Structure formats: structure tokens, C-alpha cells
Amino acid sequence: MAQEMEKLGGTSEEDDEEMDMGVKEEDDEDEDDEEKKANSDNAMINASEGIACPNSFQEQQQEQDQQLAGSGGPRRCRPKEEKERTKLRERHRRAITARILAGLRRHGNYNLRVRADINDVIAALAREAGWIVLPDGTTFPSRSQGARPAGAASNAAVTSSSSHVVPLQNPPTSLRGGTSPGFRTIVDYRSGRMKGVYMPTSSPYGRSSTTRSRTLTMAVDRGGTENSSLAGNCMDTVDHKQVMDIAPRLRERDFAGTPYVPVYVMLPLGVINKKCELVDPDGLLKQLRVLKSVNVDGVMVDCWWGIVEAHTPQEYNWSGYKRLFQIVRDLKLKLQVVMSFHECGGNVGDDVCIPLPHWVAEIGRSNPDIFFTDREGRRNPECLSWGTDKERVLRGRTAVEVYFDYMRSFRIEFDEFFEDGIISEIEVGLGPCGELRYPSYPVKHGWRYPGIGEFQCYDQYLLKSLRKAAEVRGHSFWARGPDNAGSYNSRPHETGFFCDGGDYDSYYGRFFLNWYSQILIDHADRVLSLAKLAFESTCIAVKLSGIHWWYKTASHAAELTSGFYNPCNRDGYAAIASMLKKHGAALNFTCVELRTLDQHEDFPEALADPEGLVWQVLNAAWDASIPVASENALPCHDREGYNKILENAKPLNDPDGRHLSAFTYLRLSPLLMERNNFLEFERFVKRMHGEAVMDLQL
């Protein structure tokens, strides 16, 4: 037992004395705990069924005490071994609790009693964030906050009924020593990650009226007490009427005078057909003129490898893109161009099918190991395996040589657009959907949200790399993938590898995950080296996917299978940011419009935290001093989503003035062009540009 206590980390002698004292005082009470709990449960059940019962638990307990005293009957006797096991469990639990509370008292200046429980901790953190917590647990925003929104999960202490998880992204004020008001410096966020990160105060943006009323109803139902003294330092009183009076309305931050953030719009996936012809140029021209009328800065377009180099190696057809680029230049718009070395079709939002080049598919039929492969041997032809980067399997060329020849051809073909500054950025596709990640959650293989996905390292080339790494480490038997990592739609707790305390944190698990994530970084490093050579002084960027589901678990299983070694005790994005810094590349990140509370309501079992993930990745990039751009992961047409994007694009009162370098909207469509949706989009563009809007709700 002593060894287990040492593993939990050391505490001061004073804390140990407090802990031991608490154990000694409460051990004698252990024998009564089960009886009291059972009596309490029976009382609650009887009350719910309409059975006559004492008015309170105390009255029932008094009756039982009197009966015992009158009859002289002994207590229920439990076996000695059971008592000892109970004491050991309680000591273990209290040891952990004592260390948590000791740390909060010592470092956070929280005024917690010696035997505080988890409710005291949650209440203290909620009050720290500016919320009012009544003695009965009723929690709601204070008047001074102007009613904090239900969606501000970054500052609100929210408990999940299904998971008992408390998603707190911001640290207590006492950890922020000397930071300007409105900022939160994380000193020890998630076990040593994100050091010195500035977090903005909670968003002033409310949610929809339906959600606000639902939140308010919950606050009232949980017991608004009349003339009760408020917990903490607040001495006001509150009743039902006061709770109803503070119902929040949509409040917006004024972005007038803030930094200018360029806004681009993605063009439809099928704007160029498989013959490399521009589809409906007249209709596209009209839409682009409308975008230009609201001062959109430019558009983003995919240059598909499967279209340009479709039939014969090193024979490129750029004709449709030439006509498109000329239209964009005539309208004085800018271009973000994606080097798309992946197939289109089969993923969320794909409305066209554009496979890899035919000659690559022919090679794949005779050598399927050029594609990513899962444990069951299923191939994924969405993109080439990174194991082919240095293998001459593509008619005498390696994969990176094929990518370089394609990029160099594009640079030569469109030289005038580079010289005129029309092409402002090249985004280099590095994996499925053009993102830097493994294809760990393919819909075509049966994956459904929020499955953890599967490792994709079972082609012969990646297995050869794994064997070599295991031999170098001196453990050749580690040259295998995990055999207890579940399947595409497993949950972390259902697997031996990703569950709390699972093999992901074992010696073998750490070796495998280090190798798996390093393969991802090495692939990006190789391709970006050649991209920098091909495009010279033009800005290059890399798109990183937002794997936000299971973010609140210890293992971060979905991120691990995607190649991001980012469990709760390790920052998996700092190494990627450092690699991008080496090449002067920008980071383009997704899911900036998503709210944690929305995810919790829709898929509580996913334990997702997009807000926490966004802030971790943005700060990792800013700490590395690289430009950060972003885009929305899902279609967005409502003010709430736009406000969330603005909040992430321009953090409130950032002392370093950090903000997104650009934002790309997903995507141009007839739905966006509908009158109400487009008016909302126009308003969003103005605010991204730092202009004032007339209908701001303060």
C-alpha cells in the first residue's frame, strides 16, 4: 500500500498528518456508512413511491437509533476481512483526495477545509470563474457578469451526468500571478502541457433563446432558494424572480478597430471536372462577384492530383485551372491553392468522386501495400502510405519525388500568378482530406462518430520501419501493433490499450506511439522540404484536423490513432509546431466554430472538447511563433457559430496581439447564397476585417 501511495506523488509532512488524522477519525465511521447509505436510499425510494416515511433522513435515523437503544440489539456484524478492505479503499481514496486538496490550498490559495469533498472543489472553482453557487448546489451567473452564457465551457464548472467529467479549461486566478485582467495563464494545464498559455475570459456571446431558457429552467428546478445567503463572498439573496430577471440575451463583443483578418471562401469540390474543365464558368463568375461585393479577400481551390496527372506519369493538364485563375485575377481576388494528393469521395461533405491517378491505382492493384492498411488487412486507397516516401514503387520514383514533380510543374505553369501576388498561399496536402493525419476513421470501413478509429500501420513498408525501430530499441518483440486497441467504433474504456491505466502508457505503448507519431512528423518534414524548394518565397501551409472526441479522457484515443501523441500527460502538438517552424510554414486548423457544450448535449458519450483542443493547438503554434490560420469543420450559417469563430480569431485583450493570420470559410454553396444566410455572412466578414456593424447586441 505504501508503494501505491508513493506513486501518487509526494506531499508535505503537514498534509500527510492531515490525511492520517482524517483516516483515523473516519475509520470508525466506516462500519456505519453502508447502513446509512442504504437507509437513505430506502427513504428516497419510499418517498418516490408515495409510501409513508419520516419527513427527513435525520428523523428516520433518530427512530432507528431509538429502536437499537430500546432493544439493546447489536449492529449488523460484518466479517473482519470486509472491514479491512473497506478501510484500505477509504485510505486510498482519501490519500488521493488529500493530495489534490493540499495542492489547491498550497498553490491556489483556496480556502478548503481539511476534509473537503469534490463538491467543495467544484464550488470553489465555479466561484473563481465568477459564478454564484448556493448551499444547495444551485449554480448560475452573477449579475456582474451580465449572465455568462451556457456555451462558455472554458470558464464554467459543468458536470456531466453521464461521465462525471468537469471540463475546466482555465486555471484559478491565483495561478495567474501578475497577468492582466481578462487573461488566464495556465501554469500546469493537463499535467505539464501548455505552459504560460494566455486564455481569454469567457465569451460574452449567448446561445440561442431555446438553450438559454433550458439552462435557466434547470437552474430553477434545481432549487432557487428564497432569502438564502449565497456561498462564498457574495452576501446577496436570491429568489425565483431574481433568477428569471438575469436571463441572458445574445451579447456580442465589438470587433470594430480590431486587427484585419483576411477571409477566404472555399470553392466547390467539383468546380473542375475530371477532364480538367471549369464547370459552369458563368454561374461561378456571378457568385464570385457577389463575394467580391462584400469584400471577401479571396478563394481557396483544390488542385487534384487525380485530375491533373490522371493518366500518365509526369504528364500534367492544368487547362481548367488556368481559366479559373484568370477569372479570379480579373475580379482582383486572391488565391489559396491546395496541392491535393488524396482522393475525394467517401468522407463527410464530399459531393464528388475524384480518385487517385489511374496509373497509381494500377500499381496499387499489383502492390496494395502502397496504401494505408489496418490490422485486419483492409486497404485504404484514399492516399499513399507514408511508408512509400522513400520507396521507388511508383514507376521508378518515390512518393516524395512524385509530389515534388507535381508541385514544380504547378509553380512553372502559373508563374505569372505567383509574380503578381494573386496566389497568396500554397497548402500542401499531407494525408487524407489533405490533412496531416493517418486515415484512422474511414467511413468506408464502417467507422461512425465517435468511434476511436484504428491504427493504420500494417502495410509492409511501415511494418519494416517498425521492426527497425524495435531492433534499435533492443526489443525486437515490440515490432507489432497493439493487439488490444479495439476496432473502429470501440470506446476507450472497452479496450485494454486506451482505457484509464491501459497499455498506451506502458513501456511498449510509449515506444509504439512515439514511433507512430514520429512517422507522421517525418513525412511532413520531407514533403515540406521539397515544397519550400518548389515554391521558394511563397507562403506554404499545412492543414491539421481537429480530433476533438475523447479529448476529455486520459488517453485521447481518437487522437492517438490519428497520429497525434497527445494523452493527458503529453503535448502532442508542440513537436508538429516546431517542425512547421523549421520550414516557415503556417498551420491551418479546423473546428474553430464548435462549442464544447453543444458537443456534450448532442453526443455526451463522446467526451469531446473542441474548445480545449482549439486553444491547445493555437497556443502551441503561437508559442512556436508560426502563423495560424483556420477554417470551420462543418457548414456554418448562424450568428452563434460566427461569434465563436471571431472569439478564437481575435482573443480578447491578448497582450501580444495574437490573432489568426487568415480564415477560410467552408464552403461556397447555394445555401450560403440564400438571402438571410448571406447577410449574416457579410456581417461576419466585416467583423473579421475589424469594421463596425450597426446591429451589434451589447
Side-chain angles (χ1 to χ4, degrees):
M1 196 68 201
Q3 293 177 350
E4 293 183 6
M5 295 304 163
E6 290 179 4
K7 292 179 181 178
L8 295 172
T11 58
S12 65
E13 294 180 2
E14 178 183 354
D15 295 327
D16 290 336
E17 290 175 3
E18 291 178 352
M19 178 187 70
D20 292 338
M21 184 181 301
V23 172
K24 290 176 182 178
E25 291 175 358
E26 294 185 16
D27 277 346
D28 294 336
E29 302 171 5
D30 289 339
E31 299 177 6
D32 298 327
D33 288 346
E34 292 185 5
E35 292 180 4
K36 291 180 179 179
K37 184 178 185 299
N39 291 334
S40 176
D41 291 344
N42 290 335
M44 293 173 64
I45 293 171
N46 290 338
S48 66
E49 294 178 353
I51 301 174
C53 62
N55 292 331
S56 66
F57 174 76
Q58 289 81 2
E59 292 177 6
Q60 185 185 29
Q61 195 66 31
Q62 290 175 3
E63 290 182 8
Q64 292 176 350
D65 292 341
Q66 291 173 2
Q67 292 173 0
L68 287 173
S71 63
R75 296 180 182 175
R76 180 178 63 85
C77 182
R78 293 187 299 163
K80 184 177 180 180
E81 294 80 1
E82 184 179 348
K83 294 180 181 179
E84 289 300 321
R85 285 197 298 270
T86 301
K87 290 181 180 180
L88 287 175
R89 285 196 300 269
E90 285 300 305
R91 286 194 180 100
H92 190 120
R93 179 183 62 80
R94 291 171 193 151
I96 296 174
T97 303
R99 285 175 170 83
I100 293 173
L101 299 178
L104 289 173
R105 282 193 294 272
R106 184 185 303 115
H107 303 297
N109 294 329
Y110 283 103
N111 184 21
L112 298 172
R113 57 192 176 92
V114 173
R115 283 190 278 175
D117 60 19
I118 189 62
N119 290 338
D120 297 315
V121 176
I122 294 174
L125 293 172
R127 294 188 192 105
E128 168 65 31
W131 292 69
I132 293 175
V133 182
L134 299 182
D136 67 350
T138 301
T139 304
F140 52 86
S142 65
R143 278 185 185 274
S144 60
Q145 289 179 281
R148 198 172 291 259
S154 59
N155 281 0
V158 182
T159 55
S160 167
S161 60
S162 62
S163 62
H164 308 291
V165 172
V166 183
L168 292 170
Q169 295 177 18
N170 291 348
T173 305
S174 54
L175 300 182
R176 302 198 300 267
T179 306
S180 302
F183 288 88
R184 302 187 176 232
T185 305
I186 294 182
V187 177
D188 194 4
Y189 178 60
R190 293 175 67 236
S191 260
R193 73 201 301 163
M194 295 177 65
K195 304 297 183 182
V197 179
Y198 284 98
M199 303 285 283
T201 54
S202 68
S203 164
Y205 313 131
R207 308 189 70 213
S208 65
S209 58
T210 304
T211 307
R212 294 198 302 274
S213 62
R214 180 170 66 249
T215 304
L216 193 59
T217 302
M218 290 170 60
V220 175
D221 290 343
R222 291 176 61 184
T225 30
E226 293 191 19
N227 301 323
S228 300
S229 60
L230 300 181
N233 297 326
C234 182
M235 301 302 295
D236 298 332
T237 60
V238 66
D239 57 20
H240 288 270
K241 184 176 185 301
Q242 285 177 309
V243 173
M244 296 304 296
D245 287 343
I246 63 172
R249 63 168 184 154
L250 182 67
R251 302 183 64 214
E252 298 182 290
R253 181 177 146 203
D254 186 2
F255 287 93
T258 57
Y260 185 101
V261 175
V263 177
Y264 291 76
V265 175
M266 292 186 196
L267 295 183
L269 292 170
V271 67
I272 303 292
N273 64 23
K274 292 182 180 180
K275 297 179 180 180
C276 204
E277 299 170 338
L278 180 60
V279 177
D280 189 16
D282 294 333
L284 178 64
L285 178 59
K286 292 177 182 178
Q287 291 180 323
L288 292 180
R289 283 174 175 163
V290 174
L291 293 179
K292 179 64 177 179
S293 70
V294 297
N295 295 319
V296 165
D297 295 89
V299 294
M300 173 181 276
V301 61
D302 290 272
C303 281
W304 296 102
W305 182 31
I307 291 178
V308 175
E309 196 180 359
H311 302 289
T312 307
Q314 294 181 286
E315 289 188 6
Y316 308 102
N317 178 10
W318 301 103
S319 57
Y321 291 103
K322 281 186 178 180
R323 187 173 182 188
L324 171 63
F325 289 9
Q326 289 168 355
I327 292 175
V328 173
R329 179 171 59 184
D330 292 342
L331 292 174
K332 295 182 171 54
L333 293 169
K334 300 286 187 180
L335 272 168
Q336 292 176 327
V337 183
V338 184
M339 300 286 103
S340 297
F341 298 112
H342 62 282
E343 77 168 11
C344 179
N347 289 302
V348 177
D350 290 353
D351 54 4
V352 296
C353 179
I354 304 173
L356 296 185
H358 300 306
W359 60 274
V360 173
E362 290 177 2
I363 296 173
R365 282 190 283 272
S366 59
N367 180 15
D369 283 294
I370 67 173
F371 301 125
F372 281 107
T373 308
D374 64 18
R375 185 175 182 83
E376 299 297 322
R378 287 169 290 197
R379 313 289 183 173
N380 190 336
E382 188 174 353
C383 60
L384 295 179
S385 166
W386 300 333
T388 64
D389 280 359
K390 294 189 285 187
E391 300 287 340
R392 296 193 175 280
V393 293
L394 300 175
R395 299 194 181 177
R397 292 186 295 168
T398 66
V400 292
E401 289 173 344
V402 170
Y403 302 148
F404 175 70
D405 291 341
Y406 182 88
M407 292 186 288
R408 183 173 56 183
S409 172
F410 177 84
R411 176 63 181 83
I412 294 172
E413 193 72 28
F414 296 98
D415 178 69
E416 59 182 303
F417 295 92
F418 283 96
E419 296 299 324
D420 294 343
I422 301 300
I423 297 177
S424 60
E425 180 182 271
I426 299 292
E427 184 175 287
V428 183
L430 295 172
C433 298
E435 300 168 338
L436 177 58
R437 64 172 176 87
Y438 286 88
S440 58
Y441 49 95
V443 175
K444 66 181 69 175
H445 289 166
W447 174 86
R448 295 296 181 268
Y449 182 86
I452 59 176
E454 291 190 21
F455 292 111
Q456 305 289 315
C457 58
Y458 295 94
D459 62 84
Q460 64 167 315
Y461 305 110
L462 287 181
L463 286 177
K464 181 174 70 173
S465 172
L466 179 58
R467 283 194 297 270
K468 182 177 179 181
E471 291 170 0
V472 170
R473 179 68 183 268
H475 302 291
S476 57
F477 57 92
W478 281 356
R480 58 178 176 82
D483 55 9
N484 59 347
S487 59
Y488 284 110
N489 293 310
S490 296
R491 276 34 175 176
H493 62 273
E494 299 171 347
T495 72
F497 192 80
F498 297 115
C499 65
D500 289 351
D503 291 344
Y504 79 92
D505 205 26
S506 65
Y507 288 111
Y508 159 73
R510 291 195 293 272
F511 158 77
F512 174 79
L513 293 171
N514 266 307
W515 168 82
Y516 191 72
S517 60
Q518 192 60 46
I519 290 291
L520 175 146
I521 294 175
D522 290 345
H523 168 70
D525 187 30
R526 283 189 289 267
V527 177
L528 290 180
S529 295
L530 297 177
K532 197 65 180 175
L533 183 63
F535 298 117
E536 300 169 344
S537 59
T538 303
C539 176
I540 59 175
V542 169
K543 182 178 177 181
L544 211 62
S545 56
I547 312 296
H548 54 79
W549 53 104
W550 306 116
Y551 188 85
K552 291 180 184 175
T553 61
S555 62
H556 291 220
E559 290 172 88
L560 296 187
T561 58
S562 296
F564 306 128
Y565 190 8
N566 191 53
C568 65
N569 58 352
R570 188 180 189 275
D571 188 347
Y573 299 99
I576 296 175
S578 297
M579 179 271 299
L580 297 179
K581 172 71 172 179
K582 170 184 172 183
H583 300 288
L587 172 64
N588 183 16
F589 193 63
T590 62
C591 76
V592 290
E593 84 284 9
L594 301 182
R595 291 180 179 273
T596 296
L597 192 60
D598 293 342
Q599 298 297 310
H600 174 71
E601 291 177 348
D602 296 337
F603 293 94
E605 71 277 12
L607 297 178
D609 188 5
E611 294 182 32
L613 176 63
V614 166
W615 273 108
Q616 183 190 350
V617 174
L618 294 189
N619 280 283
W622 282 331
D623 287 347
S625 300
I626 62 175
V628 185
S630 191
E631 63 186 51
N632 50 308
L634 299 172
C636 177
H637 303 289
D638 61 282
R639 186 166 300 186
E640 179 185 348
Y642 287 135
N643 283 337
K644 187 61 184 176
I645 295 170
L646 284 157
E647 177 187 342
N648 287 320
K650 305 178 184 183
L652 182 64
N653 297 330
D654 191 313
D656 300 315
R658 299 179 298 190
H659 55 83
L660 295 183
S661 60
F663 175 79
T664 305
Y665 177 83
L666 176 81
R667 88 178 50 242
L668 180 61
S669 67
L671 186 59
L672 173 63
M673 290 299 169
E674 291 181 5
R675 184 177 184 278
N676 290 338
N677 290 339
F678 195 76
L679 288 174
E680 199 64 50
F681 176 74
E682 178 184 8
R683 184 179 186 273
F684 165 72
V685 172
K686 288 182 178 179
R687 300 178 76 198
M688 288 291 279
H689 289 170
E691 301 175 15
V693 294
M694 301 302 295
D695 59 341
L696 195 66
Q697 299 183 28
L698 300 175

